Amino acid sequence: MLRTRRPNRSLPVLAASTLLLVAGAALPGDAVTAADGCEPRQFFVSPDGSDRAEGDKDDAWQTIEHARDHLREEGLTRRMRCDIVVNLRAGDYQVDQALEFDENDSGTRGHEVIYRSYDGPGEARVVGAERVTDWEEYQDGIYRADVGTDNPFHTLFEDGQRATTARYPNRASDEEWAPYLFSVLKEPEKEGVRQWLYSNPGDWDPSWDLDDAEVFIWSGGSWSWFTDTVPIQNPTWEDNQITMEYWTRYALINSRSGSRYFLQNSLDFLDQAGEYYLDYDEGQLYYKPRGNIEDVEIMAPVADTLIEVAGSSPEERVENITFDGLALQYSDFVDWYRFGWISAGDSGYRHEYPEYDRQIEMPRNRFGAVTVTNSRDITLSNMRISDTGYHAVYALFANEGLTVQGSLLENIGADGIKVEGPYPGEGDTSYGHLFTNNYITHYGELVPGDAAGVELMNTGRNEVSYSHIEHSARYGVSLEVRPEVAAEDNYARDNVFEYLRIEDVGLDSGDMGAFYTYGVDNAEPHPIDNHVRQVVIGDVIPDDSMPDSGTRGVHMDAGGCGFSFTDIEVGEVTDDKYQSYQCNTVENANWQEEFDTSRMEYDRIGVQDSFPYPVPEETS
């Protein structure tokens, strides 16, 4: 049975103990030292401990929450004289709601509060799912289990591999989203509809039970830009029509094409190993396992956020907390999804640039496995974040100096790292972030539309470097604002992107680039203040079903000005390797004549030797 879920860079000043932690693999507790006789105060937590214990090495507490509360209640963070280290011993720390940290948990007087995996990177695991047990055989290799009706989930995992929501048509492989059906135009005046999906006769079977079913769709006709996941309200079989519960982002037809889509979450679609169906009303989970049901571990998420770091306001920040070497596994998705509001001003709040409503997550979707807001100098080091329902790391609005380094992000529902700065013109409150030495792979698994390994929105003075980013339906790295934003209200300045390897992106979308910008510099004289250098982009080849315009290595979309590109190599694409206005500088790129490969620092591109995990290509 499932339990309840609830829903100019200023680097941190670190004591020597913190520098030892974040420079590479987590060190044994006895090796933590500090300069000037400063001895970090240390506590211990173990899955086998007790929250009535002393919290020392020989008598550990059991929960991370208790360790946090002890620091609060004893006032240990108020006037720190040295770092505080909470050592998490190896094992699983089960959560059914986010571990919450606020300004009361901050490091003070220049010191850090550090939560780290004591036995090495990835050994202490925060797990946001519970195992589904008590299976009974149903039919045709399908098994059934009672999971209750209180807390429906929206993704599922077998032995650490994401299961597919039973769908029609079946996907070609676990690595692809295709094949699809295409929406059709029933009548000329229906071209603009966003809630009615029409099919060709014979595409659907009137015997299907669609009570719990959803439409997954690249709305916009031929525009393969965003995906929507929308519950079905009801089908009208005689008219080949489905009415959806909510509007999609774009209309379902344009002049060039219908929208690609499939239907999912019906028992009638459950016919392949690795597929599941959840009957919400009866609380029954149906699953066709890849392996023997007696031997495999089926995990259902019970939390959508695992760690939440949030100050109470931009004036009351949480700061100086490091999470080092933790593994975070399993989080949930949502019951329906659309990116942003449909029209400017739809948020209901008055903004100087209401168009930004269409460029930002709606409040219901503002979360990640790690969610950070109203923060300063928060560090995620040597993390392993996997099997998420949505973003791995999500930084919203007022954050300064967020660092993600030495971390493996894999099998991610949406973006790997997503930063949403403030609304343009309303305060430069998101800047100085460092994302370096990270391996980000297989992201956008549930939200392939707009998915990016690193997505920066209206934020500046950041560095994205020494990282390997791979396997996405859409982008590798993106930097976005809006074309309407005036220069003085645009904060996406002084960003550096360097030593990046981007591969296997653009797998299912078009009119895109592996490196992508939108609305970043919208008026002359276009000063060069964003810089891209030493980047290798592999082939950018979409699925054959994709009807949109081509794929590119670098795509500087509307307002994509003010960039320098130096030493860039792009593989095969279906359009231009580089598409841009005449407002950027390029030096030594392989779409130019006389490209000099000797200038490429291939041995430094991608993750560094200090990366603490075996990279996927070495274990495959």
Side-chain angles (χ1 to χ4, degrees):
M1 191 65 105
L2 298 177
R3 294 184 292 172
T4 304
R5 87 157 196 226
R6 303 168 195 176
N8 234 328
R9 176 171 166 77
S10 173
L11 289 171
V13 178
L14 302 180
S17 61
T18 305
L19 291 174
L20 285 170
L21 288 169
V22 302
L27 299 175
D30 295 337
V32 176
T33 59
D36 301 323
C38 179
E39 188 69 29
R41 186 162 186 182
Q42 298 194 48
F43 299 95
F44 286 80
V45 182
S46 170
D48 299 325
S50 168
D51 284 343
R52 302 182 68 179
E54 294 297 318
D56 58 28
K57 189 173 183 179
D58 299 318
D59 195 19
W61 293 317
Q62 185 179 43
T63 66
I64 302 169
E65 296 96 322
H66 182 80
R68 175 204 61 196
D69 292 347
H70 178 83
L71 301 186
R72 285 180 181 176
E73 292 162 5
E74 297 298 319
L76 300 182
T77 62
R78 290 176 195 157
R79 294 183 59 81
M80 293 172 65
R81 296 182 179 178
C82 195
D83 290 353
I84 294 174
V85 181
V86 178
N87 299 284
L88 307 179
R89 302 303 303 258
D92 290 355
Y93 297 84
Q94 187 88 29
V95 298
D96 59 8
Q97 59 185 5
L99 299 169
E100 297 179 347
F101 299 86
D102 62 25
E103 61 267 27
N104 297 301
D105 306 305
S106 294
T108 57
R109 303 177 72 185
H111 298 293
E112 292 281 308
V113 178
I114 303 162
Y115 293 81
R116 66 172 183 133
S117 178
Y118 177 82
D119 297 297
E123 295 299 318
R125 294 199 319 149
V126 178
V127 178
E130 290 189 344
R131 186 170 184 174
V132 181
T133 58
D134 300 326
W135 293 94
E136 62 178 15
E137 190 168 3
Y138 174 63
Q139 65 182 31
D140 301 326
I142 299 169
Y143 291 81
R144 177 171 59 192
D146 182 6
V147 295
T149 59
D150 291 339
N151 302 286
F153 46 88
H154 306 285
T155 188
L156 190 74
F157 302 90
E158 176 185 334
D159 289 341
Q161 182 178 357
R162 192 186 308 276
T164 296
T165 309
R167 52 169 278 184
Y168 180 84
N170 286 324
R171 67 191 305 179
S173 75
D174 290 334
E175 299 287 304
E176 301 167 84
W177 293 268
Y180 298 95
L181 300 172
F182 278 78
S183 64
V184 301
L185 181 63
K186 184 177 177 64
E187 302 167 12
E189 61 270 21
K190 296 294 196 334
E191 183 169 294
V193 301
R194 303 186 189 211
Q195 197 172 3
W196 297 339
L197 175 67
Y198 295 100
S199 74
N200 289 304
D203 280 354
W204 302 336
D205 185 340
S207 70
W208 288 340
D209 181 351
L210 302 184
D211 284 352
D212 297 305
E214 303 162 332
V215 176
F216 175 98
I217 190 164
W218 288 90
S219 61
S222 67
W223 301 342
S224 291
W225 303 343
F226 295 92
T227 50
D228 308 81
T229 303
V230 188
I232 293 172
Q233 189 177 93
N234 63 271
T236 306
W237 301 115
E238 60 273 19
D239 291 335
N240 299 301
Q241 174 186 329
I242 282 175
T243 301
M244 294 179 282
E245 292 277 0
Y246 307 100
W247 279 31
T248 55
R249 180 175 175 91
Y250 296 122
L252 305 187
I253 298 287
N254 65 22
S255 59
R256 302 206 321 262
S257 176
S259 296
R260 295 180 296 159
Y261 74 94
F262 55 78
L263 308 179
Q264 65 179 21
N265 203 48
S266 169
L267 186 57
D268 292 308
F269 304 152
L270 209 173
D271 60 356
Q272 283 194 332
E275 286 189 334
Y276 78 94
Y277 157 67
L278 180 57
D279 184 327
Y280 298 121
D281 292 335
E282 298 298 325
Q284 297 289 309
L285 174 64
Y286 296 79
Y287 185 61
K288 190 167 186 173
R290 299 180 178 97
N292 188 312
I293 195 68
E294 300 296 331
D295 301 327
V296 298
E297 182 180 70
I298 312 300
M299 300 293 289
V302 294
D304 50 24
T305 295
L306 304 186
I307 293 177
E308 182 169 10
V309 182
S312 54
S313 72
E315 293 71 40
E316 296 290 333
R317 303 280 185 104
V318 54
E319 58 187 7
N320 298 329
I321 301 178
T322 291
F323 300 92
D324 183 77
L326 306 186
L328 309 182
Q329 188 173 21
Y330 303 127
S331 64
D332 205 5
F333 188 44
V334 292
D335 56 345
W336 73 276
Y337 179 78
R338 183 184 69 233
F339 179 74
W341 286 275
I342 290 175
S343 301
D346 278 358
S347 68
Y349 295 91
R350 183 179 296 279
H351 292 287
E352 185 173 353
Y353 295 96
E355 297 87 353
Y356 202 57
D357 286 352
R358 304 179 66 242
Q359 208 70 16
I360 195 168
E361 300 282 7
M362 294 185 292
R364 69 186 310 278
N365 298 327
R366 290 176 180 168
F367 67 92
V370 179
T371 304
V372 184
T373 191
N374 296 330
S375 79
R376 184 179 292 109
D377 297 335
I378 302 300
T379 298
L380 305 175
S381 183
N382 306 317
M383 305 287 282
R384 182 171 189 170
I385 305 177
S386 62
D387 304 321
T388 70
Y390 203 40
H391 307 310
V393 179
Y394 177 66
L396 176 68
F397 296 153
N399 296 290
E400 300 172 22
L402 173 65
T403 295
V404 182
Q405 62 183 3
S407 295
L408 174 60
L409 313 182
E410 57 183 343
N411 306 327
I412 305 302
D415 293 345
I417 300 171
K418 180 163 190 168
V419 178
E420 282 189 7
Y423 273 74
E426 297 181 13
D428 187 2
T429 59
S430 176
Y431 57 83
H433 310 309
L434 173 64
F435 306 133
T436 189
N437 198 26
N438 299 308
Y439 201 114
I440 305 173
T441 179
H442 286 76
Y443 53 92
E445 291 190 328
L446 298 180
V447 187
D450 201 50
V454 178
E455 181 170 29
L456 306 179
M457 301 187 66
N458 206 35
T459 174
R461 288 164 276 168
N462 307 304
E463 176 182 324
V464 182
S465 61
Y466 296 100
S467 294
H468 192 133
I469 299 170
E470 67 173 13
H471 201 277
S472 167
R474 200 143 174 78
Y475 308 126
V477 173
S478 69
L479 176 65
E480 303 179 31
V481 191
R482 287 287 308 180
E484 304 87 358
V485 176
E488 62 271 18
D489 296 328
N490 180 349
Y491 309 127
R493 306 288 189 189
D494 301 311
N495 295 290
V496 173
F497 306 88
E498 62 182 1
Y499 296 97
L500 303 177
R501 184 175 299 277
I502 303 173
E503 298 181 326
D504 294 326
V505 299
L507 294 175
D508 204 36
S509 65
D511 194 15
M512 56 75 63
F515 182 89
Y516 177 80
T517 69
Y518 180 70
V520 174
D521 188 327
N522 308 301
E524 293 182 348
H526 305 306
I528 303 297
D529 52 17
N530 287 298
H531 306 281
V532 186
R533 51 184 175 250
Q534 292 293 340
V535 175
V536 172
I537 296 171
D539 296 346
V540 188
I541 306 298
D543 187 82
D544 289 341
S545 69
M546 200 281 296
D548 206 346
S549 62
T551 57
R552 297 138 198 146
V554 175
H555 185 189
M556 310 302 289
D557 209 342
C561 294
F563 283 73
S564 71
F565 291 90
T566 308
D567 303 322
I568 313 294
E569 184 174 322
V570 176
E572 295 298 317
V573 297
T574 62
D575 196 351
D576 297 323
K577 292 180 186 290
Y578 173 77
Q579 185 173 92
S580 173
Y581 302 95
Q582 300 300 312
C583 52
N584 299 306
T585 67
V586 179
E587 179 182 352
N588 196 47
N590 74 331
W591 56 84
Q592 298 177 314
E593 294 182 2
E594 300 181 355
F595 172 58
D596 184 358
T597 59
S598 69
R599 291 182 43 163
M600 299 299 298
E601 300 177 47
Y602 295 115
D603 59 334
R604 299 183 63 198
I605 294 173
V607 293
Q608 299 170 292
D609 291 341
S610 61
F611 187 73
Y613 298 99
V615 300
E617 64 186 9
E618 293 179 353
T619 59
S620 59

